[in-house]
Amino acid sequence: MFARFRRKRLHPVLRDLVRETVLTPNDFIYPLFIRSGEGIKNEVASMPGVFQMSIDEAVKECESLKSLGLEAIILFGIPDVKDSVGSDALCEHGIIATALREIKAAHPDMLVITDLCFCEYTDHGHCGVLNPALQTVDNDITLQNLAKQAIVHAKAGADMIAPSGMMDGMITAIREGLDHAGFSHIPIMSYSTKFSSAYYGPFRDVAESAPSFGDRRSYQMDPANRREAILESLEDEREGADILMVKPALAYMDIIRDIREASDLPLAVYNVSGEYSMLKMAAKAGVIDYERVMMETLLGFKRAGADIIISYHAKEAAKLLLGR
């Protein structure tokens, strides 16, 4: 006698009934890149279908997203002026604070998350205030600024804060800052295990955030380290993070599963720009069935243990899931 696994695969309805992992539009967060001006919607050459948008265009985009069942966005800012400390990110009239107020006024039902970092706002492209002697980010001074930035975003209407700079102690600093300012109800989705990855290349085109010197290996994680990856997320959980995250996703399925088994907190993954662009370029070359590979990839993140997927594919995936 041998097992007859195929019995459950013959009828399409039965295949659906026994399916273990399911994707829905509710699984996705869609990234938006905001810059000043009006009527601006500039497609990024390295990321087909992804745009830098002015706030008015982002407001329109939210309407389109909601029609697809996508009701969560994460905002990234592209300021007009950058300086050594990222002052625009600390200003209540900065690009993200202004975008928050206008998007929430037009779409109060939309879950609006803000990426909390300084790389898009500094003239050197690093994720905080530099320590000149070490030529890297000064961890503890940057913690103070992260708390200030979080409060600015919360006052402007952010529903959730997502710190991405991989500073030691960032969750403690942000949580204490928010709580003392009267925002104890605002959750934190931490980029808790973020690797120093080559998969981020196209993001730096759209966010205009490439470092002007060196790289970010002194604060982002070594891709070779699995045990440390788990410890990073568990430390952010201990400090008070409400949701953990692994970034990138595709080359780190083992890490997603490890953290899923180590923590009961909700787990997000960031399906990053390089992962997105690879599929787009492969589709353009005609070497893959783009829609099938995209959906198989997204399903793989969910199967590995992700509850939430931040992805530039979200609109295309939602259309397929809704049968449009």
Side-chain angles (χ1 to χ4, degrees):
M1 185 67 179
F2 54 86
R4 294 280 186 180
F5 293 108
R6 293 183 57 197
R7 289 178 185 146
K8 299 188 290 292
R9 300 172 190 160
L10 291 175
H11 198 288
V13 175
L14 182 53
R15 288 199 297 270
D16 289 345
L17 283 171
V18 300
R19 181 164 292 139
E20 299 174 26
T21 307
V22 178
L23 281 170
T24 78
N26 291 331
D27 295 324
F28 295 107
I29 296 171
Y30 189 67
L32 291 179
F33 297 89
I34 313 297
R35 67 179 320 136
S36 62
E38 291 186 7
I40 296 172
K41 192 173 182 181
N42 299 329
E43 189 170 23
V44 181
S46 59
M47 297 181 70
V50 175
F51 301 84
Q52 296 178 338
M53 298 180 185
S54 52
I55 295 172
D56 58 315
E57 291 294 329
V59 169
K60 294 176 190 175
E61 182 72 4
C62 288
E63 194 64 49
S64 174
L65 292 169
K66 289 196 294 185
S67 73
L68 295 171
L70 299 171
E71 299 182 309
I73 57 173
I74 184 166
L75 300 182
F76 298 86
I78 306 163
D80 290 332
V81 178
K82 304 186 180 193
D83 60 24
S84 62
V85 297
S87 298
D88 188 276
L90 300 169
C91 175
E92 63 180 19
H93 303 297
I95 186 64
I96 287 298
T98 303
L100 274 165
R101 288 190 291 270
E102 296 195 26
I103 290 171
K104 288 301 291 186
H107 302 285
D109 53 339
M110 180 73 79
L111 180 76
V112 184
I113 306 157
T114 57
D115 176 83
L116 200 77
C117 196
F118 290 100
C119 58
E120 299 113 293
Y121 307 94
T122 56
D123 52 14
H124 47 74
H126 283 281
C127 297
V129 179
L130 290 181
N131 180 322
L134 298 177
Q135 283 294 287
T136 188
V137 174
D138 188 304
N139 192 91
D140 294 2
I141 292 175
T142 299
L143 292 183
Q144 298 172 33
N145 287 354
L146 284 171
K148 294 175 185 176
Q149 186 185 21
I151 293 166
V152 167
H153 289 190
K155 286 181 177 178
D159 296 301
M160 185 156 65
I161 305 295
S164 62
M166 286 296 286
M167 296 297 112
D168 293 338
M170 67 182 184
I171 302 305
T172 293
I174 294 165
R175 185 73 274 159
E176 290 178 353
L178 288 171
D179 291 356
H180 292 160
F183 296 105
S184 60
H185 62 287
I186 299 292
I188 297 173
M189 178 173 68
S190 177
Y191 290 64
S192 54
T193 296
K194 180 180 178 181
F195 292 91
S196 180
S197 172
Y199 280 98
Y200 302 149
F203 175 91
R204 292 167 185 170
D205 296 335
V206 64
E208 300 180 6
S209 63
S212 61
F213 69 90
D215 53 42
R216 296 177 179 143
R217 286 184 287 183
S218 65
Y219 42 100
Q220 294 177 357
M221 273 204 58
D222 186 339
N225 290 2
R226 182 177 182 179
R227 297 189 300 273
E228 185 185 18
I230 302 167
L231 290 174
E232 282 274 12
S233 278
L234 292 181
E235 174 61 18
D236 281 11
E237 177 176 0
R238 188 193 66 79
E239 292 181 23
D242 299 282
I243 300 171
L244 305 177
M245 189 194 304
V246 176
K247 180 182 180 182
L250 189 59
Y252 298 91
M253 294 285 203
D254 59 326
I255 306 301
I256 297 168
R257 172 49 55 186
D258 285 339
I259 294 173
R260 171 71 293 142
E261 292 178 350
S263 174
D264 290 326
L265 286 184
L267 180 60
V269 297
Y270 202 135
N271 176 208
V272 299
S273 59
E275 298 165 11
Y276 172 85
S277 295
M278 284 195 305
L279 294 196
K280 285 291 185 181
M281 301 310 171
K284 185 177 180 181
V287 297
I288 62 168
D289 181 329
Y290 172 76
E291 290 183 350
R292 287 190 64 192
V293 172
M294 173 185 69
M295 296 304 283
E296 186 175 337
T297 301
L298 296 170
L299 189 68
F301 301 147
K302 192 92 181 283
R303 191 186 64 247
D307 302 295
I308 299 164
I309 302 170
I310 305 171
S311 180
Y312 309 101
H313 293 296
K315 288 194 293 183
E316 297 168 297
K319 288 176 183 177
L320 289 172
L321 292 168
L322 296 173
R324 296 186 186 177

